[in-house]
Amino acid sequence: MATISKEDIIDAIDELNENRLDMLTEYWQFLIAEEGGTEAKPLVDASVACANMLYSAKAYQDTLDWLDAIGLEIAKTYGEESEQYVEFIESDDLENLRMNALDKSSIEDDEDEDFGEDE
């Protein structure tokens, strides 16, 4: 099976490919395996790297959705009391990224509503 490269993900994100979140998750799994499997630090580092790719593409709502989905997957796979899940939810990098994406997503929603009122 061919692995998905970072460039493949960036292209999919930039093109608004409807499979981009699935591709990003597959790339996330690849990064985790490459960096040491199921350890908490590589798992969080891969999450930060992937979420940053979405955020950099200004896909703010997708960033939030993807982080939520990954959090659920980690909780389901390792358990809510696991080191992996605790590191994920307590990561300052992920929390900052989530807050920034939430702020940007809210601004976009407000702009969309304002635009709708002008019509």
Side-chain angles (χ1 to χ4, degrees), residues 10 15 21 57 64 78 92 102 109 111 116:
I10 291 170
E15 295 170 8
L21 297 183
L64 297 170
Y78 301 103
D92 289 337
L102 186 59
D109 290 344
E111 288 173 358

Side-chain angles (χ1 to χ4, degrees), residues 12-99:
I13 290 169
D14 288 343
E15 295 170 8
L16 297 177
N17 183 316
E18 58 185 68
N19 294 327
R20 66 186 178 162
L21 297 183
D22 293 335
M23 288 176 67
L24 187 64
T25 301
E26 187 175 327
Y27 182 67
W28 173 76
Q29 293 166 337
F30 167 76
L31 289 176
I32 293 167
E34 188 176 71
E35 292 298 319
T38 62
E39 299 299 315
K41 181 162 177 21
L43 189 140
V44 171
D45 290 347
S47 301
V48 170
C50 290
N52 271 323
M53 291 169 71
L54 279 172
Y55 185 85
S56 295
K58 299 182 180 177
Y60 306 120
Q61 187 59 51
D62 281 346
T63 303
L64 297 170
D65 294 345
W66 187 80
L67 284 170
D68 288 345
I70 291 303
L72 289 173
E73 184 173 324
I74 293 169
K76 186 173 99 178
T77 302
Y78 301 103
E80 291 182 9
E81 302 294 323
S82 68
E83 178 184 356
Q84 292 86 345
Y85 186 69
V86 170
E87 288 250 352
F88 179 83
I89 62 171
E90 291 182 355
S91 167
D92 289 337
D93 291 335
L94 288 174
E95 184 60 25
N96 290 335
L97 192 58
R98 183 184 302 278
M99 296 281 64

